[in-house]
Amino acid sequence: MTAQTHWQAWHEPYADEKSPLSRRLRLVQQHIASWLDQRSDERLTVVSACAGQGHDLIGVLASRADAQRVHGTLLEYDAGNVTAAQAAADQAGLINIVIRQADAGLLSSYAGAVPADLVLMVGVFGNISDADVERTVAALPRLCAEGATVIWTRARRDSDLTAAVREWLRDAGFVEQAFHAPGDVRFSVGVHRFESAPQPLDPAGTVFTFLR
């Protein structure tokens, strides 16, 4: 048997519906569902960075009659998580969802997947340096289509970076749609709409590196 990696074990709290991770997931899923309800496009594109096992996007699409209008690319580095996400997508019949084993910190990994109408940065900003968070936010216009939505998360630690993230997003041309910071847990969930001009993807370079 292959030993379970840290990033596979990280998903275990999802089994407890009362865990902070499950609560965060439900918030993210609610915003994905709301975004779909508000968009009448026949074809929508989604890219998810460090997608893990795809619980957020796949979990929403699995129960929707309009799931096939969503063409998504999930970027995940851990092979076991890729396998789990692919199994979930297959079980839900999501033929337009591609699970790509790739390093989401490399801009080249997004080639062919962007510009996207929805960009998911869930579980990313809490695992990279503050400088890399700023660099990633600045790069988001290269991943976004016109009018795109970005959903992101970040834990509020002793040094709370969320105020800076929200400011960086404003500077990058985004308008805040929602921000959740429950008082009894440390997670935060932000939703921002891109209201500036999209930029072409330059596949050269790295925007972030995971710290663990």
Side-chain angles (χ1 to χ4, degrees):
M1 294 180 61
T2 303
Q4 187 180 47
T5 67
H6 164 77
W7 293 113
Q8 293 164 38
W10 183 88
H11 289 73
E12 291 177 353
Y14 282 130
D16 177 4
E17 65 177 16
K18 296 182 180 180
S19 71
L21 194 61
S22 289
R23 289 174 58 186
R24 190 189 78 176
L25 173 63
R26 287 193 294 271
L27 262 178
V28 171
Q29 289 177 329
Q30 288 168 15
H31 281 292
I32 294 173
S34 177
W35 172 78
L36 284 166
D37 291 340
Q38 294 169 18
R39 297 288 299 254
S40 59
D41 313 56
E42 293 184 2
R43 189 183 193 278
L44 291 164
T45 55
V46 181
V47 66
S48 178
C50 305
Q53 297 177 5
H55 290 294
D56 43 24
L57 182 62
I58 295 173
V60 172
L61 295 180
S63 62
R64 292 188 64 102
D66 62 348
Q68 299 308 326
R69 69 188 178 118
V70 177
H71 294 250
T73 302
L74 277 59
L75 304 177
E76 171 57 33
Y77 190 76
D78 183 275
N81 285 338
V82 169
T83 298
Q86 187 64 65
D90 290 346
Q91 183 176 5
L94 302 176
I95 59 174
N96 294 327
I97 300 300
V98 175
I99 320 296
R100 182 182 297 175
Q101 186 173 5
D103 182 349
L106 303 177
L107 287 173
S108 59
S109 296
Y110 297 85
V114 296
D117 300 304
L118 176 64
V119 177
L120 299 176
M121 287 282 168
V122 177
V124 178
F125 292 166
N127 293 289
I128 62 180
S129 70
D130 293 357
D132 278 1
V133 175
E134 184 175 11
R135 186 178 299 109
T136 302
V137 170
L140 286 175
R142 288 181 267 173
L143 308 182
C144 288
E146 183 177 358
T149 294
V150 172
I151 301 176
W152 59 276
T153 63
R154 166 77 188 207
R156 288 167 287 123
R157 301 166 181 155
D158 293 338
S159 177
D160 184 0
L161 193 69
T162 57
V165 174
R166 297 162 79 185
E167 182 177 350
W168 294 334
L169 282 160
R170 286 194 296 271
D171 292 343
F174 291 84
V175 174
E176 187 169 282
Q177 305 295 298
F179 179 72
H180 304 273
D184 61 332
V185 288
R186 297 196 305 171
F187 72 73
S188 298
V189 176
V191 182
H192 283 68
R193 178 180 170 84
F194 186 50
E195 297 195 355
S196 189
Q199 300 175 13
L201 176 69
D202 179 354
T206 300
V207 288
F208 66 79
T209 302
F210 259 46
L211 297 176
R212 51 177 176 166

